[in-house]
Amino acid sequence: MTEEELKKEMNFVQHLAQSWNLTTECSKAALVVYGHDSQTVIPFSPNEGKLFSDKLGELKTKALIQGKCRRMDLALQEAAANLTAKVAGQTQYQLVIMITAGKQLSSEEGKEDSHDLISSSELLYSRNVNVIIVPVGLETDFKELGLIVKRPQSLFPLSSFDDLTQARAQEIASHIYQTIGEDTYCMTCIVIACCKGVPLKQGDSVGYS
């Protein structure tokens, strides 16, 4: 990924968050970035009563996102660590949206390993967390991603980073809203954004429009 692609991705995340009219106190969102490691860069803020879209302009990433690996499994594990098991009868809808630009790569040599990826997704499903994936580009492995999501309708493939537009974000947000039902007012959402290869140093800030 280039820094320009990262900007497009973060703008897409911002549009996605703004597309939900979920401003009640019980709704919250967090943002996880990943490369050869994963990190929660915007944690839950349950007392703010709004999603995180206005925080993206102050986002700071660390050097851990550099490298050739694409550890989607670690990103899913990071998401799971932010969530708790859903209690029976609980109305809170829990959702993970993962943006990926390619296959699971577990080593600098480009080793593909789907086993850890599947076990990480199963951890989320065991907690009644729904997973949606936005694959970007031609390197994504749909057979691999099909092992993670429970149904094909949970995949929203895009041809390139140029397709990470406000219109597409609104379309995906609308689909999610229709899926969870209009009676659901409380949602806990974690967005996982790929930052593989972006050469940012600790403390560097990337501004988004």
Side-chain angles (χ1 to χ4, degrees):
M1 287 182 64
T2 65
E3 186 172 339
E4 184 62 30
E5 289 171 337
L6 176 63
K7 290 181 180 179
K8 292 177 181 179
E9 187 176 32
M10 291 298 102
N11 281 332
F12 177 80
V13 171
Q14 187 173 38
H15 293 316
L16 190 64
Q18 292 172 337
S19 297
W20 289 310
N21 294 318
L22 297 172
T23 56
T24 58
E25 293 182 358
C26 59
S27 293
K28 55 186 179 180
L31 177 65
V32 171
V33 298
Y34 70 98
H36 77 264
D37 204 341
S38 64
Q39 174 195 4
T40 301
V41 292
I42 300 181
F44 288 131
S45 299
N47 298 324
E48 292 188 1
K50 59 184 177 180
L51 300 185
F52 58 65
S53 60
D54 56 344
K55 291 184 178 181
L56 287 170
E58 301 175 355
L59 177 63
K60 293 184 179 181
T61 53
K62 295 184 178 180
L64 62 83
I65 62 176
Q66 298 183 50
K68 298 179 180 179
C69 298
R70 187 183 290 111
R71 296 299 302 271
M72 294 187 286
D73 61 316
L74 296 182
L76 292 173
Q77 291 175 26
E78 180 75 10
N82 282 279
L83 297 168
T84 57
K86 187 176 180 181
V87 179
Q90 183 180 3
T91 58
Q92 187 86 17
Y93 184 84
Q94 299 189 113
L95 175 69
V96 167
I97 302 174
M98 182 170 70
I99 304 173
T100 177
K103 305 175 183 179
Q104 162 85 356
L105 299 178
S106 301
S107 69
E108 292 291 337
E109 292 73 27
K111 178 183 177 182
E112 301 173 21
D113 186 357
S114 299
H115 177 74
D116 291 337
L117 188 59
I118 296 172
S119 61
S120 298
S121 63
E122 288 299 327
L123 176 61
L124 289 168
Y125 287 121
S126 70
R127 300 183 180 184
N128 293 315
V129 179
N130 294 278
V131 179
I132 285 179
I133 301 179
V134 181
V136 182
L138 303 178
E139 295 184 11
T140 50
D141 186 338
F142 288 98
K143 182 178 179 181
E144 178 182 71
L145 298 181
L147 299 174
I148 306 173
V149 296
K150 293 296 184 181
R151 55 180 187 166
Q153 293 89 339
S154 297
L155 288 172
F156 293 88
L158 302 176
S159 299
S160 70
F161 283 90
D162 291 333
D163 293 327
L164 291 170
T165 63
Q166 182 176 5
R168 289 295 286 165
Q170 291 173 342
E171 179 183 333
I172 294 173
S174 176
H175 171 83
I176 294 171
Y177 189 72
Q178 293 172 8
T179 300
I180 67 178
E182 296 182 358
D183 294 332
T184 303
Y185 299 101
C186 299
M187 180 170 70
T188 300
C189 177
I190 295 181
V191 179
I192 302 175
C194 178
C195 296
K196 185 175 87 75
V198 180
L200 298 178
K201 298 178 182 178
Q202 183 172 356
D204 285 351
S205 178
V206 179
Y208 306 101
S209 57

